[in-house]
Structure formats: structure tokens, C-alpha cells
Amino acid sequence: MNELTVQEKFLSGETKSFILVTALLGAVVVMLSLMPEGSFIHLPVYVVNLLGKYVTYAILALSVDLVWGYLGILTLGHCVFFALGGYVMGMYLTRSIGAQGVYGDPLLPDFMVFLNWHELPWYWQGLQYFPLAALLIICVPALLAYVFGRLAFFSRVSGVYLSIITQALTYAMMLAFFLNELGFGGNNGLTDFKTLLGFSLQTDGMRILLFALSVVTLCLCYLLCRSVVVSKLGRLCIAVRDAENRVRFIGYRVENIKLLIFVLSAVIAGIAGALYVPQVGIINPSEFSPVNSIEIIVCVALGGRGRLYGAVIGAFLVHIAKTMFTNLMPEFWLFALGALFVLVTLFLKDGVAGLLCVHLKTGSTETLTDKA
Amino acid sequence: MISLEKQVAQASLKLKNLAQKSHLAHKHRQQPPARLKKQDIVLYVENLTVSFDGFKALNDLTFYLNSGELRCFIGPNGAGKSTMMDVLTGKTKVDSGSAWFVPDPGDPNPSHMLNLLEMDEVSIANAGIGRKFQKPSVFETLSVAQNLELALSMNRSVFKTYRSRLNGEQQDFMMATLEKIRLSSLANALAASLSHGQKQWLEIGMLLMQKPSLIMLDEPVAGMTPEEIEMTIALLHELKGQHTIMVVEHDMDFIRAIANQVVVLNQGTVLAEGNMDSIQSDPRVIKAYLGEGL
């Protein structure tokens, strides 16, 4: 009799290679950037910074893959959680500026002085403490995801309607954050950050450190997601994706499954946003823009969904392409993005990771490819 | 055997009369039905009416199901067979009527009975009613064993599933179920790669993993080859007695092979009830089925 293999191994070959490759590439980048400046293998720090930004997008893509690839919810507004995590980090960094701002007010951020505000709003209180900021980076996206999920999943909104609502959510948040009255800096957002935990953000060392931190976070988030998808919970997600009603009839509360995964994914997205902000040095409402969320969806589709590492590969490919396009012909980027999405859905259903898989295992995954 | 069948038939006839007499009194009853004469009834369905845009899919449907029996429901298209199962599994809401379920046939306390009309799909499933759908619906991108694992009866809390692992006993149970549904050799194959008949079996296997006391099978042999039907008949004979089973089916030979008690539905209500021979010679049934080759 065959042996029953219900649960995949947590540290599968793919997982091990992913962690190994990511750690190795991260280490190489750090080492190259530490080479003496004149040396021809020296990596300029701005490239490290750029790569660090990509890594945070990769973490975001990972969180989208969890929701879209495994649970089958096409979320077109996941950047809302990314941006919220970013805003909390931005608030912490703004508070850290202290009296070093343009107006030199020890308490109020510059934009509040500019708006003639005299008091710090209540939601800015205490954010000068990093532990509270760190807690909020997790809690704020989680809370929004919980409230949203509670409303959407429990009234059994699904499919395309849910996608539209997620998009409306991020759009509404963008409009709200544009308002000066809300107290988040209006359309300029929060910027001119000086220090993080007392260390200057402008030094090369800090930039390299932030990059390394992002890579480590990517690996940890990957392992977390992996532990979810190999568990029975992960198989339930796939079951919900395949036949939601059937899952109800074998006695599971589908809404709870969706809610849990959605909140988890929002937390990961929030952490990604919090790592993103100190590296780019600004957070403004355009991070809520629906286009950003769609970009991440394209990343996951291109990389291959339902594979975790596919999302990471996709995030790098799309954002490298974006950087190149916006340098050469910025007005064409959105067309290229759209074309990429169409081409991937038509010709590359399993994405780049699917291609890799087929090449590595020479056909053993073909049945999977056909059915997916 | 025959005398037993007769007894059952008589008993259910008596019950039917009893129900008809108390029909009006029970129209809007929220209390569980007082125990009727028969002690081992597990499902009380009384005066169910469902209408879709004025069309009565169920019209005053009443029947009772005994513990451990296998009851077949036949009837022309649109007779309300699937609607009946939809109502009893929480998928469709009713206009009026009542449906009470006894989760544990050994427990005579009426206050432990469950009002199915007030429960949703999930709580009904967890109360011990399993259903196989007309169209086989298995989780195609999971393996056969994984499909069974998800259906395995255990704590359904979402947090628990993150840490849950199969223990030895559960593995043995799964092996035994795989054996029963003849899919042992395909345990690690993707459900998508199964034949139509095998998917039907897998779905029955998933039902068994839930350890339900009441099983509802909606057209279990639709689209099966004659050999597969033979094996399904054998499987149902194995299950008889361990579970209470309701079967909706069109295939007359199949019903003849498994059922001792057949209910004919027509226009949402019970047209006739009895064994296969008396049903087939009933002029009302013949009229309802005219042209459908009974």
C-alpha cells in the first residue's frame, strides 16, 4: 500500500534553495557595496538602496500571493496595507526629526506648523517611541483588514465584486490621505526624515543595513507563509479557492479562513511598507494609488501564483522593468504593464516560476500546469 | 427480511397518517415535535413549502426518516428532490414547515433535537449531516488523501488547523476509507486526474470521513459506467445500517438494487411511498412519469 503523504515537508527543496539563494544574493550585494569605492566590483549605494526597495515590494508580493494564489481572492487594493504600515513608520520617523525640522518646533512636524496647528493630534501621540510604532505597524493594517474582511467576507461578497471593493478601499484611502485636515501631511505626505533609532538615515552604512534587514525580513516572511501553506490551513485555503461551497458543506467556516489569511497577509504587507519608507525617504498618498496594487498583482501573475517564490521573482522582474522604463520612456510604462499582464495571462499561466519548474523537473509538473 | 420491510412500510404509513392529522396544529411550530410512536426517527420533515417566484418547488412535503434506513427519492424533473436536500442542508430557505434532526439516535431527549431550518450549512454539516452534490465537487488541485484529510471529522477551528497533524488512528481511518472507496492506489494522485466515477467515490469518501449520522446522496451514479455502478451498489450495501442514507436518483435499476423503501416526489410533494414493486405499479406514479420510461 502507498504511504499517505498529506503534508508537504516544511523545508522542501524549493524552500531551501529560495532561502539559500536569497541570503547569498543579499550577502553578495552587501559585500560588493562594502568594497573600496575605486574598485571595479564596487556596488554604488544607490543601487543597494534601489534593491532594498525591490525587496520590500517582494515582501508585498508574497503577501498578495498568499491571498490571491492560495485563497483565490483577487485583491486589487493590497497597497492600502503597505501604505498604512509605511505611514506609521513615517510618523515615527517624523517624530524623530524633533527640533531639527525647518521650523524647529520640538513637538509639531513641519507641515503642522505650516498649517498653523498648535497641538499634536491624539493619533500622533506616543509615536516617538519605536516599540509603539512597531506595534502599530502590525496592528493598524491588521485592524483595517479585520474590519474590511468582517464586512466583506461575512456578507459573502466574493469574486469580481470583492476585487472592486478592495480597489475602492485603497482609492478612498488615497483621497482621504490627500486631505490636509486629516493630519498626515496632505499630498506632500511625510518626508525629510533624519534618523531611525537615533542613527542617521543618510549614511551608506544605514542604507546597507536597511537593505540587509529587508532581505532578512523577506526570508522570515517567506518561512512564515510557507509554514501556513504546508499546514492543513494552507490546504483549506486551496480548497476554498477551488470549491468554496464544498468547504462549507464539510463543516468549515469559510469566512474565518478568509479573514485569518487576509489579516495575516495585511500584516506582512504593513511590515513591507514600514521597511520601504526609510529606504525611499518619503511616504505620500500616491502609495495608496490603485495602480500600485495592480502592479503587485502583475508581479504575482508574472512570477507565477500559488508558489510563494514566484511572487518574489515576479516582483523583481516587474520593478526592474519599471525602473528601466521610467528612465527611458516613462509615458509608456503603464502600457507595458498592461501588455505584460495580458501576455502573461494568455501565454504564461503559471508564470516564470512555472516555466522554471517545468525545466527543472522536465515535465513532471505538466499535469499541474494544464489544470491550473 | 420481507416481513421487516412490511413492518417498516406499515409503520411509516401510520406515521404519515398521524402527521396528516396533526398537520394544522403543527403549521408554525417552533417546538421540537413530541416523540411520535416510533422511537428511532432521526429526521422529521413536516409541511415544507418552498416557492421560487410563485412556483412551488416544495409543496407541503412531509416525511420521516428512521435511523439506519436507506431511503430513495425518485420523481420527474422539477419534482423538488434537489430542493429538498438544499433545504435540509441549509442552502435554501423555506416559506413554511419544519425540519428537525436528531443528532444522536441513542439520545431520546427531545430538547437535543436540532431545528435544521434555523441553522446554516456549516452548523448542519457539523451536526452530522453530510451531502454529496449532483455534480461531483472535490478539491481538484489537492490529492485524494488531502481531500479526505480536510473532510476528516475533528475540531473545525481555523486556528487549530494551522497546527493540526494526522495521528495514527486518523491515518488508519483514512486508509480504511480509501479501501472502501477503492482509491487506495491513487491516494497521492491529484483529484483532478480521477475519472468521473472515481470523483463521485472520492466525494462519498469525504462524506464518510465526516462520520455523519445522516448521508444525503444527490444522484450518486450519474455518469457512471455499469461496472462503477455495480461497485457503488456494493459500497452502499456496506454503508447501510451504519448510517442513515437518503438517495436521490433517476436510475431505476440502481434504486431497485439498493432500496427497500422508495418515496416518489411529484410537484414538490410526496406522491407515493412503498417498495419498488408497489411504486412501479401505482397508476399515479405511472401518470406522473408518463413518457419518462419507468
Side-chain angles (χ1 to χ4, degrees):
Chain A
M1 182 168 287
N2 284 16
E3 204 169 309
L4 290 179
T5 44
V6 169
Q7 185 134 350
E8 255 185 274
K9 258 168 67 181
F10 170 61
L11 284 175
S12 65
E14 285 161 0
T15 314
K16 276 187 204 154
S17 0
F18 175 85
I19 298 294
L20 207 67
V21 168
T22 314
L24 214 64
L25 286 180
V28 165
V29 168
V30 169
M31 269 186 340
L32 290 183
S33 67
L34 290 176
M35 288 289 154
E37 202 122 326
S39 151
F40 75 102
I41 48 167
H42 171 73
L43 200 63
V45 168
Y46 80 88
V47 177
V48 179
N49 200 221
L50 198 63
L51 288 173
K53 204 173 96 179
Y54 294 162
V55 175
T56 60
Y57 282 132
I59 301 173
L60 175 60
L62 206 58
S63 76
V64 171
D65 193 27
L66 202 56
V67 170
W68 186 36
Y70 287 90
L71 204 51
I73 297 174
L74 176 57
T75 156
L76 292 179
H78 232 59
C79 277
V80 75
F81 307 117
F82 183 80
L84 280 177
Y87 260 100
V88 176
M89 186 51 131
M91 287 162 84
Y92 164 73
L93 294 174
T94 306
R95 289 298 304 270
S96 307
I97 298 172
Q100 290 172 285
V102 180
Y103 296 105
D105 192 301
L107 191 62
L108 295 185
D110 282 347
F111 74 90
M112 290 189 195
V113 179
F114 183 75
L115 289 172
N116 265 327
W117 291 18
H118 299 293
E119 265 177 73
L120 202 63
W122 60 268
Y123 46 84
W124 278 80
Q125 304 289 348
L127 270 167
Q128 69 271 37
Y129 303 112
F130 186 75
L132 178 69
L135 189 69
L136 287 180
I137 283 167
I138 291 173
C139 292
V140 172
L143 185 71
L144 180 71
Y146 181 82
V147 172
F148 176 82
R150 204 63 227 178
L151 293 174
F153 303 144
F154 281 74
S155 31
R156 298 212 181 159
V157 181
S158 61
V160 104
Y161 303 100
L162 190 62
S163 303
I164 292 171
I165 298 180
T166 55
Q167 188 148 54
L169 174 75
T170 192
Y171 193 67
M173 289 295 267
M174 179 174 77
L175 295 184
F177 273 73
F178 266 126
L179 298 173
N180 280 328
E181 294 78 14
L182 206 66
F184 292 106
N187 66 358
N188 293 323
L190 309 170
T191 184
D192 283 335
F193 308 131
K194 305 279 194 263
T195 59
L196 173 66
L197 291 168
F199 300 100
S200 168
L201 278 169
Q202 313 306 329
T203 61
D204 287 358
M206 192 60 176
R207 283 163 195 264
I208 294 170
L209 190 68
L210 280 172
F211 166 79
L213 195 64
S214 306
V215 173
V216 171
T217 312
L218 174 64
C219 290
L220 291 179
C221 289
Y222 188 91
L223 290 176
L224 176 67
C225 292
R226 175 77 191 161
S227 81
V228 171
V229 302
V230 296
S231 71
K232 189 173 177 183
L233 179 60
R235 291 189 288 284
L236 264 179
C237 291
I238 295 173
V240 169
R241 183 187 73 192
D242 285 358
E244 185 175 323
N245 269 321
R246 192 75 185 90
V247 179
R248 286 207 177 90
F249 281 103
I250 54 177
Y252 292 97
R253 299 249 165 234
V254 171
E255 296 75 26
N256 290 346
I257 302 170
K258 286 183 175 175
L259 194 59
L260 180 65
I261 299 296
F262 197 68
V263 169
L264 176 68
S265 161
V267 168
I268 296 175
I271 293 173
L275 283 167
Y276 171 84
V277 168
Q279 300 193 68
V280 297
I282 182 167
I283 173 84
N284 60 30
S286 69
E287 292 303 332
F288 285 108
S289 150
V291 175
N292 286 14
S293 301
I294 292 170
E295 242 168 50
I296 293 299
I297 289 292
V298 178
C299 292
V300 178
L302 176 71
R305 62 198 177 113
R307 279 198 165 82
L308 295 184
Y309 60 92
V312 176
I313 296 173
F316 274 94
L317 291 180
V318 169
H319 285 100
I320 289 171
K322 185 182 180 182
T323 307
M324 279 161 54
F325 256 95
T326 39
N327 279 342
L328 300 173
M329 33 183 176
E331 61 274 30
F332 287 111
W333 166 241
L334 281 183
F335 292 103
L337 187 70
L340 194 62
F341 194 34
V342 172
L343 289 177
V344 167
T345 18
L346 282 181
F347 301 112
L348 207 62
K349 276 187 189 132
D350 273 355
V352 176
L355 268 185
L356 283 179
C357 228
V358 173
H359 276 285
L360 290 178
K361 294 182 187 163
T362 48
S364 65
T365 53
E366 262 170 38
T367 46
L368 232 177
T369 319
D370 292 341
K371 300 290 175 190
Chain B
M1 266 316 266
I2 294 167
S3 71
L4 190 80
E5 277 179 20
K6 256 186 193 161
Q7 273 178 6
V8 171
Q10 277 169 358
S12 68
L13 210 70
K14 265 185 207 164
L15 281 175
K16 214 178 119 188
N17 292 337
L18 202 72
Q20 271 164 1
K21 270 181 216 157
S22 57
H23 168 182
L24 282 175
H26 290 172
K27 191 95 189 175
H28 292 292
R29 179 173 52 194
Q30 287 308 307
Q31 294 298 311
R35 275 288 159 149
L36 297 167
K37 276 181 186 168
K38 197 107 167 105
Q39 275 303 298
D40 52 357
I41 291 182
V42 290
L43 185 66
Y44 299 78
V45 174
E46 291 174 346
N47 316 114
L48 280 189
T49 300
V50 176
S51 49
F52 300 120
D53 294 328
F55 168 71
K56 282 198 171 163
L58 291 183
N59 188 5
D60 210 16
L61 176 69
T62 299
F63 68 91
Y64 302 90
L65 216 55
N66 296 325
S67 174
E69 89 167 301
L70 192 160
R71 180 90 60 98
C72 280
F73 292 81
I74 59 171
N77 283 331
K81 306 181 297 289
S82 289
T83 310
M84 169 186 76
M85 288 196 172
D86 284 349
V87 166
L88 296 179
T89 51
K91 208 177 165 195
T92 302
K93 295 285 160 233
V94 294
D95 298 340
S96 63
S98 66
W100 290 85
F101 174 61
V102 183
D104 178 10
D107 176 7
N109 187 348
S111 65
H112 290 170
M113 292 173 71
L114 300 170
N115 184 352
L116 293 181
L117 304 184
E118 280 176 2
M119 296 161 73
D120 66 354
E121 304 104 309
V122 178
S123 7
I124 290 177
N126 286 326
I129 297 185
R131 176 177 182 186
K132 195 203 88 59
F133 286 85
Q134 201 166 342
K135 195 170 143 247
S137 60
V138 293
F139 307 123
E140 305 243 325
T141 45
L142 295 175
S143 75
V144 170
Q146 287 172 335
N147 267 278
L148 292 180
E149 181 222 8
L150 288 186
L152 180 70
S153 75
M154 58 183 301
N155 192 316
R156 295 312 204 203
S157 142
V158 175
F159 285 103
K160 291 252 167 67
T161 56
Y162 178 59
R163 292 238 136 262
S164 118
R165 286 297 183 103
L166 288 181
N167 62 31
E169 195 185 319
Q170 290 168 330
Q171 283 223 340
D172 292 345
F173 180 50
M174 193 190 276
M175 290 286 199
T177 308
L178 279 167
E179 194 86 354
K180 249 184 210 166
I181 57 173
R182 282 95 181 159
L183 289 176
S184 300
S185 56
L186 292 169
N188 295 325
L190 276 187
S193 67
L194 298 182
S195 75
H196 182 80
Q198 286 169 329
K199 279 184 194 167
Q200 302 261 42
W201 284 334
L202 175 56
E203 217 184 332
I204 295 175
M206 286 165 74
L207 279 183
L208 298 182
M209 295 301 283
Q210 285 176 254
K211 298 183 185 161
S213 58
L214 174 59
I215 295 182
M216 298 187 189
L217 303 172
D218 201 346
E219 305 204 8
V221 295
M224 278 192 180
T225 63
E227 296 82 50
E228 287 173 334
I229 293 180
E230 281 302 314
M231 286 166 84
T232 309
I233 291 171
L235 180 60
L236 279 177
H237 278 296
E238 261 175 66
L239 299 180
K240 226 178 190 175
Q242 301 170 32
H243 307 265
T244 312
I245 307 176
M246 285 170 71
V247 181
V248 161
E249 192 41 85
H250 282 301
D251 188 322
M252 289 303 159
D253 295 329
F254 173 72
I255 290 176
R256 184 179 286 280
I258 56 164
N260 35 32
Q261 189 70 13
V262 179
V263 176
V264 183
L265 296 185
N266 189 33
Q267 297 178 344
T269 191
V270 176
L271 182 71
E273 202 166 353
N275 64 30
M276 200 62 197
D277 291 324
S278 70
I279 290 288
Q280 271 182 316
S281 54
D282 190 319
R284 291 171 303 166
V285 176
I286 293 171
K287 197 178 163 218
Y289 258 105
L290 202 67
E292 296 211 18
L294 183 87

